[in-house]
Amino acid sequence: MGFRSWISVALQLTMATALLVGCSQPTATPDSASSSGTNGVTLKMVESITSPQRTALLKEMLAQFEAKNPGIKVDLISPPFEGADQKITQMLMAKEELDVLEVREFNAKQFSMNGFIENLKPYTDKWQNYDQLTDVAKRRATWVDKTPYYIPNGLYQRVLYYRTDWFKEAGIEVPKTWDELLVAAKKLTDPAKNRYGYSFRGGATGWDYALITMWAYNGTEVDPDSAFFMKDGRTLFSTPQSLEAMQYYKQLYKEASPKDSVSWGFQEMVQGFVAGSTAMLIQDPDVIDGAKEKMQEGTWATAPIPIGPSGVAQQVVGGPGWGMASYSKHKEEAWKLIEFLSDPEQSTHFAKKTSTIPVVKSAAEDEFYKSGYFQPFIEMSQQPTKFLDVSRPVDYKGWGAWQSTADKDIQSFLLDQLTAEDLLKKWDQYWTKEKDERK
Amino acid sequence: MDTQKPIVMTTKQVVPEGKKSFQISKEGRFIFLCLLPALLFVSVFTYYPLVRGIIMSFQNYTLFDLMNIQFIGLDNFVNVLTSPDFPRVAMNSFYWVFFSLVFQLLFGFMLALLMRKKFRGRGIYQAFVFFPWAMSGFLIGLIWRWMFNAQFGVINDLLLKTGLIDAPISFLADGAWAMAAVIIANIWYGVAFFAIMILAALQSIPEELYEAAAMDGAGRIQQFWRVTLPYIMPTMLVTILLRVIWILNFPDIIYAMTNGAPAGSTHIFATYMIDKVIFGQDYGQASAVGVIIVLILMLFTIFYVKATKVEKGGDF
């Protein structure tokens, strides 16, 4: 084959492949700067739960850190929230320059197992503020192999948001149990007025709400360290209580929630509540700011999440935090930064501004948290035997595959394409197999 | 020697017998150097990810254990192809491409014909028509997601106010409605591209052709069939090919609107692949889906090119 033919083949291949692979949208890539500042060290830091306000707040705090530590500069990378964790994972996989990163409770195990993040024990042993962390924050920090791999920067704990004006109008009390919640929700449902009792989450990661219900029905028999299993070793999905919980869950959807909510995600469920379409919502504290902005003072309030027939309520308290890349070339400086951001004063300031639950004990004495919308969070954290923090089995090989089908299964169940028995049987078999393979 | 044929010196004639044919002439070297940056660019940004993806599709590449990546043969393909989701994903992909394409072409054609005529405010009208194409697909998905919402959506609101329905329709809570909804959003998005391409082709038709056709007694309809259509056909064929490839590879709208919900009834190959990565954390299986997409498109392209002689675009 002559040179022209080679050129022709190369060109055709290029065109054909480019055509077939198609044009992808350019993804936003953070600016990268040099790794060493003009005088000293430049740290690379990446956040995960990105929002414009949060990024501005972090930059403000980083400026303070830089002022306190001349010679250390910090480059903050803020990938868009959608896909930020994938971006961070890719950075770690490619060993891209990185010193401090935001670790989430669901990827901490994966990061530590793959040797991406540093064991912080040598640092926390010498850190005087480590004992300032609340019990839940410490549990989050050390939930992988009982070893601190990151320092939480705020807790995402769910409470019940409810419309005080609707409740008053209907003459009903705020529900304390799931049964009471269903009764109240049904009473407040009036499709003719486009009013529904409950902001149901059937869309992305809606399975988490089904789990909350199942845990509340199974109570303290659930293994808190791996809450898809009971303390006796059976799966959570094998118990009659779980079947009862799922039947309840469907009733809540069918009788007291908008039909549309089978595909509702975070945005819709919150919008449903703040726009006056739903009476109750179970969500994280970051909803408070939006509700304050869009709803009249005195028309809504927060309360602890309902407890189940077992007398307890469990949830996975989300706790993202600052970790260190294992291959960082500036570990001492990286720890300095983590230490600064985790200082009780800075940490509480960050939690207040980001509408999360603070991770330090001293915040409980803060007036900001002692009253108003945040009060139920503190109330719940002061009753650790009633409001339990549990962990999902994200350290199992099959976690990802289960997660990718769980929403579909729940939606099929809600739309009567799958029975509660079949759904639970499927999950029971899956997790039994997972457990057996682990032995 | 056939005197009708032009005399062209081929490289074979230039290179004497016995000499190696792989001799690069000055001109060839120049062409090669000119092509080199583009080839390098395409190698890095197209071939490398493609090859990497193909390799990954034969590996147990999951985020769960990156330290233990091994070749597992065709396991990922077997898992994907035997998955109970696969038939539905394949059917949805077909509906997604077919209906999007047909209606985009139809409306795009109509709009192009309308915009071809000069009228007051044509510029503004054209801007409105082309506007969706300038937007991000994901953003369009989010907008339509809210528009289709049963509680606060403008579509239900309009249908209720016009008395066409008595109660809101939960478009995104029903599999068939949800699939129709994502296709409608995609049609709205893609009409502009067809309109642009066809309008460009229409504007390149010499006016003399119509005059000649009119002198030969052709009416408006005959002019359309005998002049307009043959002239723009090559453009349309190429545009259709491009759109098939792009639509099949376009997860943005579905990802933002339904993310495959309800109960997986709106997943197409591209969103299914994303789902495997984001929730399943399984890059191996996701890559297998990616390879399947490329194979489908390759087969389609070969068949399409052979059937339509699209490579002769420009001749008619």
Side-chain angles (χ1 to χ4, degrees), chain A residues 331-399:
Chain A
K331 287 184 180 172
E332 286 308 316
E333 291 83 355
W335 172 251
K336 241 184 187 173
L337 175 58
I338 294 171
E339 197 178 27
F340 172 82
L341 294 169
S342 310
D343 171 84
E345 195 186 330
Q346 293 289 349
S347 174
T348 307
H349 172 69
F350 186 76
K352 274 184 195 176
K353 293 281 183 187
T354 52
S355 259
T356 53
I357 307 306
V359 296
V360 288
K361 291 171 186 167
S362 56
E365 298 310 312
D366 194 315
E367 277 308 314
F368 182 84
Y369 292 106
K370 276 169 93 172
S371 59
Y373 300 119
F374 279 96
Q375 193 273 331
F377 293 98
I378 302 300
E379 190 186 321
M380 283 162 66
S381 64
Q382 286 166 344
Q383 300 177 76
T385 52
K386 190 174 174 183
F387 298 100
L388 303 161
D389 168 42
V390 297
S391 299
R392 302 183 194 108
V394 294
D395 50 336
Y396 277 72
K397 189 169 175 259
W399 167 253

XYZ file of all heavy atoms in Angstrom, chain A residues 331-399:
571
model
N 2.131 16.507 53.030
C 1.203 15.968 54.032
C 1.084 16.848 55.271
O -0.011 17.017 55.810
C 1.601 14.544 54.400
C 1.277 13.574 53.274
C 1.564 12.146 53.617
C 1.208 11.260 52.421
N 1.621 9.901 52.585
N 2.189 17.375 55.709
C 2.151 18.216 56.926
C 1.273 19.440 56.701
O 0.442 19.792 57.534
C 3.573 18.646 57.332
C 4.408 17.519 57.957
C 3.705 16.802 59.119
O 3.115 17.488 59.973
O 3.729 15.540 59.153
N 1.473 20.072 55.551
C 0.695 21.276 55.234
C -0.778 20.905 55.017
O -1.678 21.654 55.414
C 1.240 21.974 53.974
C 2.606 22.616 54.145
C 3.767 21.626 53.974
O 3.511 20.410 53.815
O 4.930 22.075 54.006
N -0.998 19.738 54.406
C -2.377 19.294 54.162
C -3.089 19.080 55.496
O -4.250 19.471 55.668
C -2.382 18.006 53.350
N -2.390 18.476 56.447
C -3.001 18.286 57.763
C -3.278 19.629 58.437
O -4.314 19.819 59.064
C -2.130 17.397 58.661
C -2.679 17.387 60.060
C -2.139 17.974 61.167
C -3.937 16.831 60.486
N -2.957 17.814 62.256
C -4.077 17.106 61.868
C -4.949 16.128 59.842
C -5.192 16.711 62.609
C -6.065 15.728 60.581
C -6.173 16.020 61.936
N -2.354 20.541 58.282
C -2.538 21.886 58.835
C -3.857 22.494 58.347
O -4.589 23.122 59.110
C -1.376 22.792 58.385
C -0.559 23.337 59.535
C 0.491 24.294 59.043
C 1.366 24.665 60.233
N 2.516 25.446 59.853
N -4.111 22.288 57.081
C -5.344 22.824 56.496
C -6.570 22.099 57.057
O -7.563 22.733 57.436
C -5.301 22.699 54.958
C -6.561 23.106 54.197
C -6.955 24.555 54.487
C -6.370 22.934 52.689
N -6.494 20.783 57.134
C -7.625 20.005 57.679
C -7.876 20.415 59.127
O -9.019 20.606 59.551
C -7.351 18.476 57.581
C -7.290 18.045 56.110
C -8.404 17.667 58.327
C -6.818 16.623 55.879
N -6.801 20.576 59.851
C -6.880 20.983 61.262
C -7.549 22.357 61.383
O -8.401 22.568 62.250
C -5.459 21.043 61.829
C -5.384 21.045 63.326
C -3.917 21.052 63.795
O -3.043 21.543 63.055
O -3.676 20.560 64.900
N -7.185 23.256 60.500
C -7.752 24.602 60.523
C -9.256 24.553 60.237
O -10.066 25.155 60.941
C -7.041 25.491 59.487
C -7.684 26.835 59.306
C -7.410 27.885 60.183
C -8.574 27.062 58.257
C -8.019 29.129 60.026
C -9.187 28.299 58.095
C -8.910 29.329 58.976
N -9.619 23.816 59.192
C -11.035 23.744 58.802
C -11.876 23.009 59.852
O -13.079 23.239 59.956
C -11.182 23.033 57.449
C -10.591 23.749 56.232
C -10.573 22.825 55.024
C -11.366 25.023 55.904
N -11.223 22.134 60.622
C -11.944 21.339 61.620
C -11.878 21.939 63.018
O -12.400 21.351 63.971
C -11.375 19.916 61.656
O -11.309 19.390 60.368
N -11.262 23.073 63.134
C -11.213 23.783 64.411
C -12.666 24.086 64.850
O -13.486 24.459 64.010
C -10.430 25.094 64.197
C -10.510 26.006 65.395
O -9.716 25.809 66.310
O -11.411 26.891 65.399
N -13.013 23.896 66.145
C -14.410 24.065 66.564
C -15.069 25.354 66.070
O -16.208 25.331 65.600
C -14.333 24.029 68.091
C -13.147 23.185 68.368
C -12.177 23.450 67.267
N -14.338 26.433 66.138
C -14.924 27.714 65.727
C -15.195 27.738 64.211
O -16.284 28.083 63.771
C -13.953 28.838 66.105
C -14.597 30.214 66.061
C -13.562 31.313 66.287
O -12.566 31.074 67.002
O -13.753 32.393 65.704
N -14.190 27.353 63.462
C -14.323 27.334 61.993
C -15.393 26.324 61.563
O -16.215 26.596 60.700
C -12.977 26.947 61.347
C -11.872 27.957 61.505
C -12.119 29.209 60.664
O -12.996 29.238 59.817
N -11.349 30.255 60.918
N -15.329 25.172 62.195
C -16.231 24.087 61.851
C -17.691 24.472 62.111
O -18.576 24.195 61.291
C -15.835 22.857 62.672
O -16.736 21.827 62.478
N -17.948 25.107 63.247
C -19.319 25.523 63.578
C -19.786 26.606 62.608
O -20.930 26.597 62.150
C -19.393 26.028 65.038
O -18.844 25.018 65.885
C -20.821 26.318 65.472
N -18.883 27.523 62.303
C -19.197 28.593 61.348
C -19.579 27.976 59.995
O -20.584 28.360 59.383
C -17.966 29.507 61.197
C -18.080 30.520 60.108
N -18.958 31.590 60.174
C -17.442 30.633 58.902
C -18.841 32.313 59.058
N -17.934 31.747 58.284
N -18.807 27.000 59.569
C -19.049 26.325 58.293
C -20.410 25.610 58.314
O -21.190 25.695 57.365
C -17.917 25.325 58.015
C -17.989 24.670 56.668
C -17.621 25.363 55.520
C -18.416 23.352 56.529
C -17.684 24.754 54.267
C -18.487 22.749 55.285
C -18.114 23.449 54.148
N -20.679 24.919 59.425
C -21.944 24.183 59.551
C -23.140 25.139 59.512
O -24.139 24.872 58.846
C -21.949 23.380 60.845
N -23.008 26.264 60.226
C -24.105 27.249 60.238
C -24.383 27.764 58.841
O -25.530 27.858 58.413
C -23.720 28.444 61.123
C -24.036 28.261 62.596
C -23.689 29.548 63.336
C -23.641 29.297 64.825
N -23.213 30.499 65.566
N -23.321 28.111 58.156
C -23.472 28.721 56.833
C -23.943 27.724 55.769
O -24.511 28.110 54.760
C -22.137 29.338 56.370
C -21.718 30.532 57.201
C -22.497 31.758 56.767
C -22.055 32.992 57.520
N -22.906 34.152 57.224
N -23.652 26.445 56.007
C -24.058 25.448 55.007
C -25.306 24.682 55.438
O -25.705 23.716 54.793
C -22.923 24.425 54.732
O -22.493 23.887 56.000
C -21.755 25.051 54.017
N -25.895 25.141 56.547
C -27.129 24.519 57.046
C -26.947 23.027 57.302
O -27.751 22.208 56.886
C -28.274 24.717 56.052
O -29.093 25.742 56.484
N -25.878 22.696 57.983
C -25.684 21.295 58.368
C -25.581 21.225 59.893
O -25.470 22.253 60.568
C -24.398 20.697 57.742
O -23.293 21.545 58.059
C -24.511 20.564 56.249
N -25.594 20.022 60.406
C -25.505 19.836 61.851
C -24.023 19.867 62.226
O -23.218 19.169 61.613
C -26.141 18.483 62.263
C -27.566 18.379 61.711
C -26.127 18.304 63.782
C -28.485 19.513 62.072
N -23.674 20.685 63.235
C -22.248 20.808 63.580
C -21.670 19.501 64.115
O -22.385 18.667 64.663
C -22.234 21.897 64.650
C -23.620 21.966 65.160
C -24.529 21.518 64.074
N -20.365 19.353 63.944
C -19.711 18.097 64.340
C -19.019 18.207 65.690
O -18.464 17.234 66.188
C -18.674 17.649 63.272
C -19.369 17.326 61.957
C -17.593 18.692 63.060
N -19.049 19.411 66.276
C -18.358 19.582 67.560
C -19.357 19.731 68.706
O -20.432 20.299 68.533
C -17.383 20.790 67.530
C -16.158 20.483 66.684
C -18.075 22.050 67.057
N -18.954 19.211 69.858
C -19.844 19.187 71.027
C -20.258 20.591 71.462
O -21.400 20.820 71.861
C -19.140 18.482 72.197
C -18.945 16.993 71.985
C -18.065 16.414 73.074
C -17.733 14.951 72.805
N -16.654 14.466 73.671
N -19.323 21.523 71.381
C -19.589 22.865 71.905
C -20.750 23.559 71.195
O -21.383 24.457 71.752
C -18.323 23.725 71.778
O -17.894 23.733 70.426
N -21.077 23.120 69.959
C -22.140 23.781 69.198
C -23.514 23.587 69.830
O -24.420 24.390 69.613
C -22.151 23.258 67.775
N -23.662 22.523 70.623
C -24.961 22.267 71.269
C -25.345 23.402 72.204
O -26.521 23.592 72.511
C -24.913 20.942 72.015
N -24.344 24.126 72.672
C -24.603 25.249 73.594
C -24.868 26.547 72.834
O -25.207 27.565 73.427
C -23.389 25.443 74.529
C -23.090 24.232 75.421
C -24.329 23.729 76.158
O -25.046 24.557 76.757
O -24.614 22.505 76.077
N -24.706 26.493 71.537
C -24.895 27.684 70.714
C -26.389 27.984 70.583
O -27.170 27.100 70.237
C -24.281 27.408 69.327
C -24.104 28.662 68.517
O -25.041 29.487 68.482
O -23.030 28.816 67.897
N -26.783 29.232 70.844
C -28.194 29.634 70.762
C -28.812 29.299 69.405
O -29.990 28.969 69.306
C -28.338 31.144 71.024
C -28.369 31.519 72.509
C -29.399 30.729 73.314
O -30.555 30.593 72.854
O -29.047 30.213 74.395
N -27.998 29.406 68.387
C -28.450 29.157 67.011
C -29.071 27.755 66.882
O -30.040 27.560 66.162
C -27.246 29.293 66.065
C -27.571 29.120 64.607
C -28.046 30.192 63.862
C -27.392 27.890 63.967
C -28.346 30.032 62.503
C -27.685 27.726 62.614
C -28.165 28.798 61.888
N -28.487 26.805 67.597
C -28.957 25.419 67.497
C -29.926 25.027 68.601
O -30.604 24.024 68.501
C -27.759 24.455 67.504
C -26.922 24.581 66.248
C -25.683 25.211 66.263
C -27.386 24.088 65.040
C -24.930 25.335 65.105
C -26.646 24.214 63.876
C -25.420 24.842 63.910
O -24.703 24.970 62.772
N -29.946 25.837 69.661
C -30.775 25.471 70.814
C -32.256 25.749 70.594
O -33.106 25.251 71.328
C -30.291 26.222 72.065
C -29.123 25.502 72.751
C -28.489 26.342 73.802
C -29.069 26.098 75.179
N -28.275 26.820 76.197
N -32.539 26.588 69.604
C -33.949 26.923 69.380
C -34.231 26.940 67.886
O -33.329 26.781 67.065
C -34.232 28.304 69.976
O -33.370 29.252 69.358
N -35.480 27.134 67.569
C -35.869 27.281 66.160
C -35.806 25.991 65.379
O -35.957 24.897 65.924
N -35.570 26.154 64.102
C -35.664 25.013 63.194
C -34.607 23.935 63.450
O -34.804 22.779 63.102
C -35.546 25.500 61.742
C -36.627 26.484 61.355
C -36.316 27.779 60.954
C -37.964 26.112 61.404
C -37.320 28.686 60.603
C -38.969 27.000 61.055
C -38.645 28.289 60.660
O -39.640 29.172 60.321
N -33.503 24.309 64.038
C -32.427 23.327 64.273
C -32.603 22.544 65.573
O -31.910 21.565 65.802
C -31.056 24.020 64.267
C -30.521 24.262 62.894
C -30.707 25.488 62.268
C -29.846 23.273 62.205
C -30.233 25.716 60.991
C -29.363 23.487 60.927
C -29.550 24.713 60.315
N -33.501 23.002 66.402
C -33.646 22.391 67.730
C -33.909 20.873 67.670
O -33.276 20.120 68.408
C -34.748 23.140 68.489
C -34.814 22.849 69.969
C -35.664 21.628 70.262
O -36.598 21.326 69.515
N -35.309 20.912 71.319
N -34.797 20.380 66.787
C -35.038 18.930 66.743
C -33.781 18.098 66.450
O -33.672 16.965 66.915
C -36.063 18.772 65.609
C -36.735 20.085 65.518
C -35.695 21.097 65.849
N -32.861 18.692 65.699
C -31.614 17.957 65.393
C -30.832 17.701 66.675
O -30.321 16.607 66.912
C -30.742 18.761 64.413
C -31.334 18.911 63.056
C -32.024 20.056 62.686
C -31.202 17.901 62.121
C -32.574 20.195 61.425
C -31.740 18.025 60.853
C -32.432 19.174 60.511
N -30.759 18.740 67.489
C -30.033 18.616 68.754
C -30.787 17.653 69.681
O -30.198 16.784 70.322
C -29.840 20.011 69.412
C -29.082 20.961 68.458
C -29.140 19.908 70.759
C -27.683 20.508 68.045
N -32.111 17.799 69.673
C -32.956 16.916 70.494
C -32.714 15.452 70.123
O -32.593 14.587 70.993
C -34.419 17.289 70.231
C -35.411 16.647 71.177
C -36.859 16.952 70.762
O -37.148 18.091 70.326
O -37.682 16.037 70.881
N -32.647 15.180 68.852
C -32.416 13.809 68.392
C -31.023 13.312 68.771
O -30.859 12.168 69.198
C -32.596 13.724 66.872
C -34.052 13.715 66.441
S -34.280 14.123 64.701
C -33.508 12.755 63.900
N -30.050 14.176 68.628
C -28.680 13.739 68.940
C -28.493 13.506 70.437
O -27.589 12.790 70.861
C -27.657 14.750 68.421
O -27.819 15.969 69.087
N -29.382 14.100 71.233
C -29.282 13.873 72.681
C -30.022 12.605 73.126
O -30.044 12.273 74.300
C -29.803 15.110 73.430
C -28.805 16.270 73.360
C -29.392 17.601 73.787
O -30.608 17.761 73.857
N -28.525 18.563 74.074
N -30.681 11.931 72.189
C -31.367 10.664 72.512
C -30.833 9.546 71.610
O -31.554 9.005 70.772
C -32.871 10.819 72.289
C -33.513 11.894 73.149
C -34.990 12.019 72.799
O -35.810 11.182 73.195
N -35.326 13.054 72.049
N -29.568 9.206 71.782
C -28.939 8.246 70.861
C -29.520 6.830 70.922
O -29.292 6.036 70.008
C -27.463 8.261 71.277
C -27.448 8.783 72.664
C -28.634 9.668 72.816
N -30.273 6.503 71.959
C -30.851 5.151 72.003
C -32.203 5.095 71.287
O -32.722 4.024 71.000
C -31.041 4.683 73.464
O -31.779 5.695 74.162
C -29.704 4.450 74.153
N -32.766 6.250 71.039
C -34.055 6.314 70.347
C -33.852 6.642 68.859
O -34.521 6.089 67.997
C -34.915 7.387 71.006
C -36.353 7.421 70.559
C -37.113 8.431 71.402
C -38.534 8.625 70.904
N -39.220 9.659 71.700
N -32.956 7.559 68.616
C -32.654 7.942 67.234
C -31.262 7.427 66.891
O -30.254 8.021 67.273
C -32.745 9.459 67.065
C -34.121 9.990 67.346
C -34.419 10.575 68.576
C -35.131 9.869 66.403
C -35.701 11.037 68.842
C -36.408 10.337 66.664
C -36.697 10.915 67.892
N -31.250 6.305 66.200
C -29.980 5.611 65.991
C -29.328 5.956 64.654
O -30.017 6.175 63.662
C -30.215 4.096 66.041
C -30.847 3.573 67.333
C -31.446 2.205 67.111
C -29.801 3.495 68.429
N -28.024 5.966 64.690
C -27.250 6.175 63.467
C -26.760 4.803 63.007
O -26.147 4.069 63.773
C -26.056 7.091 63.798
C -25.048 7.132 62.680
O -25.473 7.203 61.521
O -23.834 7.099 62.970
N -27.083 4.437 61.781
C -26.665 3.125 61.269
C -25.819 3.287 60.007
O -25.742 4.376 59.445
C -27.889 2.215 60.973
C -28.672 1.903 62.233
C -28.791 2.841 59.917
N -25.207 2.190 59.589
C -24.362 2.232 58.382
C -24.879 1.270 57.332
O -25.364 0.189 57.653
C -22.928 1.841 58.730
O -22.395 2.746 59.663
N -24.746 1.669 56.095
C -25.128 0.783 54.983
C -23.944 -0.121 54.638
O -22.795 0.247 54.896
C -25.471 1.606 53.739
C -26.565 2.601 53.939
C -26.869 3.294 52.623
N -27.670 4.484 52.831
C -27.196 5.725 52.702
N -25.936 5.925 52.382
N -27.976 6.768 52.898
N -24.198 -1.255 54.013
C -23.077 -2.174 53.713
C -22.306 -1.769 52.454
O -22.199 -2.548 51.513
C -23.781 -3.517 53.530
C -25.123 -3.152 53.020
C -25.477 -1.818 53.604
N -21.808 -0.555 52.451
C -21.100 -0.078 51.250
C -19.740 -0.754 51.079
O -19.080 -0.570 50.064
C -20.907 1.467 51.262
C -22.225 2.182 51.174
C -20.151 1.903 52.494
N -19.344 -1.529 52.077
C -18.055 -2.225 51.979
C -18.219 -3.610 51.348
O -17.284 -4.387 51.294
C -17.398 -2.336 53.356
C -18.333 -2.882 54.413
O -19.567 -2.768 54.247
O -17.858 -3.413 55.421
N -19.438 -3.925 50.883
C -19.661 -5.202 50.199
C -19.467 -5.014 48.700
O -19.817 -3.957 48.157
C -21.086 -5.703 50.457
C -21.250 -6.443 51.761
C -21.228 -5.762 52.974
C -21.431 -7.824 51.788
C -21.378 -6.432 54.183
C -21.591 -8.504 52.989
C -21.559 -7.803 54.181
O -21.715 -8.478 55.369
N -18.959 -6.032 48.073
C -18.680 -5.972 46.640
C -19.946 -5.656 45.834
O -19.909 -4.951 44.825
C -18.100 -7.328 46.206
C -17.552 -7.371 44.817
C -16.769 -8.655 44.597
C -16.310 -8.751 43.156
N -17.136 -9.623 42.366
N -21.061 -6.177 46.288
C -22.290 -6.032 45.514
C -23.068 -4.763 45.772
O -24.176 -4.601 45.251
N -22.519 -3.874 46.570
C -23.249 -2.658 46.919
C -23.638 -1.849 45.672
O -24.786 -1.435 45.512
C -22.421 -1.799 47.879
C -22.968 -0.417 48.034
C -22.456 0.727 47.526
C -24.172 -0.038 48.713
N -23.252 1.799 47.848
C -24.320 1.351 48.584
C -25.153 -0.741 49.416
C -25.388 2.066 49.125
C -26.230 -0.036 49.964
C -26.330 1.345 49.819
